[in-house]
């Protein structure tokens, strides 16, 4: 059955309401063959390394390499059977929670919101919550302190009600807030399980030349994560986020591979439109690359592959990650002793039986393991 989180949350409220009145839960939401498969994973099941995969629905999960993951973060729509398969492999299923930033000033709204998230998690058997905040928050504002409190409270409530549950929050690639959000990272990291560092979208801080660039060069990834550690955050509270997709830039002017000039933001002179790219899943990249104008090029400065293709009369440059660049990044986990890594999106690989595709897909899964072993061997 396909579910949307909004529907699930509505149902959760309903169940709690009826359940609260009669003392029993009237509906059984467990869709697994055995009730035990619905139960959240016990606290004692902890892996030495965390590997998260983001999933946006459908049946791709049937082909995931479950031996290499410790948690799946589900999106707005999800397949209920994913939970049974994940739990059967000792993998946690984490729901997303969008922090209601417009309500951060109101205590009651916050408490109600946390309650609703917990009700949804309990009704649908999730093993935790991954928090996202979309509004820019600056130090000195009321929201700044309120967000820290919200995370502290969410973690406390979840850990108490669902022992072993995981509470994390998405944070930008570096704590130095240029145009990004600012949080009070140290107390936030202390109260939740880990910060999920989006080690991507660094282009606007990589010099002012208006050319297409890698999404997440190795050096920037390393320095962004190090900056969190330098704040005094325990490296085991950091998980590095990587992508299984590339950025497709349309060149305003194409000089040569690696020199694809971009448009400037129309209303701001001299500001490069780095954000104007389209997402290209790795499976599409693998189909397009052999037919491209250049084939695979490697930028040794960024430690990232790219290629150029032509569409009608326009050149496009695509910067992406592949097993080579991902394996390099995975070594950062080892070097900085991070908690682990996570990838957007499990759905972006080709899970067909075609042998070429199957090999490419397997190589991507293997690249997530910097220690050349399977993670899901539990230290119980
Ligand atoms: C959470 O907030 C409470 C109350 O302000 C505080 O006593 C506690 O230390 C905080 N927890 C963490 C882990 O920071
Ligand atoms: C998977 O790969 C095969 C072989 O390269 C290709 O024919 C097929 O279209 C791909 N499927 C998807 C969904 O990308």
């Amino acid at each position: 059955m396909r579910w949307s989180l909004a529907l699930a949350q509505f149902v959760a409220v309903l169940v709690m309401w009826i359940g609260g009145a009669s003392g029993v839960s009237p509906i059984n939401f467990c869709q697994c063959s055995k009730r035990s498969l619905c139960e959240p994973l016990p606290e004692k099941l902890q892996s030495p390394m965390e590997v998260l995969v983001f999933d946006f629905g459908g049946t791709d999960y049937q082909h995931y390499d479950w031996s290499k993951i410790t948690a799946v973060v589900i999106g707005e729509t999800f397949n209920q059977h994913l939970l049974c398969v994940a739990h059967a492999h000792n993998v946690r299923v984490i729901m997303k929670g969008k922090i209601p930033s417009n309500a951060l000033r109101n205590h009651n709204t916050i408490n109600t919101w946390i309650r609703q998230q917990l009700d949804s998690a309990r009704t649908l058997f999730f093993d935790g919550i991954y928090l996202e905040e979309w509004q820019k928050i600056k130090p000195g504002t009321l929201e700044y302190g309120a967000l820290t409190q919200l995370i502290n409270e969410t973690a406390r409530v979840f850990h108490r009600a669902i022992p072993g549950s995981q509470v994390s929050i998405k944070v930008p690639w570096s704590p130095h807030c240029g145009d990004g959000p600012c949080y009070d990272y140290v107390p936030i990291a202390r109260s939740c399980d880990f910060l999920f560092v989006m080690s991507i979208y660094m282009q606007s801080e990589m010099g002012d030349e208006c050319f297409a660039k890698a999404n997440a060069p190795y050096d920037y990834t390393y320095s962004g994560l190090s900056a969190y550690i330098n704040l005094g955050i325990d490296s085991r509270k950091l998980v590095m986020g990587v992508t299984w997709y590339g950025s497709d830039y349309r060149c305003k002017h194409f000089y040569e591979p690696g020199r694809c000039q971009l448009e400037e933001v129309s209303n701001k002179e001299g500001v490069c439109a780095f954000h104007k790219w389209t997402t290209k899943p790795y499976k599409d990249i693998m189909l397009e690359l052999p037919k491209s104008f250049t084939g695979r090029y490697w930028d040794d400065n960024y430690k990232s592959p790219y290629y150029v293709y032509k569409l009608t009369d326009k050149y496009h440059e695509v910067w992406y990650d592949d097993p080579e660049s991902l394996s390099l990044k995975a070594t950062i986990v080892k070097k900085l002793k991070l908690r682990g890594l996570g990838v957007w999106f499990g759905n972006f690989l080709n899970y067909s039986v075609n042998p070429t595709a199957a090999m490419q897909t397997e190589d991507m899964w293997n690249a997530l393991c910097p220690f050349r072993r399977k993670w899901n061997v539990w230290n119980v």
Side-chain angles (χ1 to χ4, degrees):
M1 187 172 17
R2 203 162 147 255
W3 275 74
S4 86
L5 203 53
L7 172 67
Q9 280 170 351
F10 171 74
V11 171
V13 171
L14 203 68
V15 169
M16 291 302 154
W17 183 68
I18 302 168
S22 64
V24 285
S25 179
I27 315 168
N28 179 10
F29 282 96
C30 183
Q31 302 269 317
C32 306
S33 56
K34 281 187 289 184
R35 171 77 199 185
S36 61
L37 287 178
C38 282
E39 297 303 332
L41 296 194
E43 195 165 9
K44 63 174 200 254
L45 283 186
Q46 297 294 343
S47 164
M49 159 125 175
E50 205 66 63
V51 180
L52 278 74
V53 167
F54 287 73
D55 176 278
F56 54 71
T59 54
D60 293 322
Y61 74 91
Q62 292 170 353
H63 308 284
Y64 288 176
D65 185 345
W66 292 98
S67 69
K68 297 212 168 65
I69 352 182
T70 59
V72 181
V73 182
I74 54 162
E76 282 300 315
T77 61
F78 56 96
N79 191 311
Q80 272 229 308
H81 289 287
L82 180 152
L83 185 108
C84 318
V85 176
H87 283 173
H89 289 91
N90 285 342
V91 170
R92 291 193 161 82
V93 179
I94 311 295
M95 66 183 273
K96 266 190 200 171
K98 278 204 186 109
I99 297 174
S101 40
N102 52 356
L104 273 179
R105 287 158 179 260
N106 186 326
H107 260 295
N108 291 339
T109 326
I110 292 295
N111 288 337
T112 310
W113 181 82
I114 295 175
R115 194 78 232 162
Q116 283 167 354
Q117 306 310 303
L118 182 65
D119 287 349
S120 304
R122 284 209 291 204
T123 310
L124 296 158
F125 312 104
F126 297 140
D127 307 85
I129 187 166
Y130 165 87
L131 299 166
E132 284 182 322
E133 155 63 52
W134 291 99
Q135 186 186 261
K136 279 179 193 165
I137 289 180
K138 296 288 168 211
T141 58
L142 267 176
E143 283 82 359
Y144 189 75
L147 183 78
T148 311
Q149 267 303 311
L150 178 144
I151 292 157
N152 176 318
E153 186 63 12
T154 308
R156 196 179 62 80
V157 166
F158 266 76
H159 288 154
R160 197 183 47 197
I162 311 172
S165 62
Q166 189 179 86
V167 179
S168 62
I169 178 169
K170 178 173 94 175
V171 298
W173 70 273
S174 147
H176 305 302
C177 26
D179 0 308
C182 281
Y183 310 132
D184 200 358
Y185 297 106
V186 176
I188 288 177
R190 212 185 299 128
S191 55
C192 67
D193 291 271
F194 54 82
L195 305 180
F196 190 89
V197 184
M198 294 181 57
S199 297
I200 47 171
Y201 310 145
M202 304 161 181
Q203 297 96 322
S204 61
E205 297 186 38
M206 288 163 53
D208 45 17
E209 274 210 315
C210 199
F211 286 95
K213 294 178 170 131
N215 238 332
Y218 178 90
D219 287 346
Y220 283 79
T221 305
Y222 190 93
S223 69
L225 287 157
S226 303
Y228 278 103
I229 296 170
N230 293 341
L231 287 180
I233 293 173
D234 180 355
S235 63
R236 295 283 300 160
K237 291 267 183 169
L238 299 171
V239 169
M240 171 178 77
V242 297
T243 61
W244 277 350
Y245 60 82
S247 309
D248 181 329
Y249 294 96
R250 200 178 73 168
C251 312
K252 177 178 141 195
H253 188 82
F254 176 72
Y255 294 93
E256 58 181 332
R259 295 205 36 100
C260 157
Q261 193 178 24
L262 305 178
E263 308 272 344
E264 290 179 1
V265 178
S266 56
N267 56 353
K268 283 194 209 139
E269 207 182 318
V271 178
C272 192
F274 284 120
H275 57 281
K276 279 199 180 167
W277 48 266
T278 50
T279 300
K280 191 151 266 182
Y282 187 72
K283 61 182 173 189
D284 297 344
I285 290 173
M286 286 300 98
L287 293 179
E288 193 172 76
L289 186 58
K291 297 178 285 180
S292 68
F293 173 62
T294 57
R296 180 184 184 270
Y297 267 57
W298 175 260
D299 185 303
D300 207 37
N301 198 12
Y302 296 151
K303 306 259 182 286
S304 189
Y306 66 100
Y307 64 90
V308 179
Y309 74 97
K310 215 174 161 181
L311 187 68
T312 59
D313 61 337
K314 284 285 182 192
Y315 286 96
H316 287 243
E317 196 165 271
V318 182
W319 288 84
Y320 62 105
D321 273 305
D322 68 359
E324 185 176 358
S325 66
L326 288 173
S327 304
L328 272 169
K329 274 184 210 163
T331 64
I332 296 177
V333 174
K334 197 168 162 184
K335 284 184 186 145
L336 294 179
K337 301 190 171 58
L338 307 180
R339 173 79 153 260
L341 77 174
V343 63
W344 288 278
F345 289 92
N347 311 72
F348 278 171
L349 301 184
N350 186 329
Y351 296 107
S352 73
V353 292
N354 178 293
T356 312
M359 209 163 71
Q360 288 162 346
T361 295
E362 193 187 331
D363 286 346
M364 288 297 262
W365 280 100
N366 286 339
L368 295 181
C369 284
F371 302 86
R372 298 265 155 258
R373 49 167 276 203
K374 297 188 177 209
W375 294 121
N376 208 336
V377 181
W378 300 88
N379 277 3
V380 184

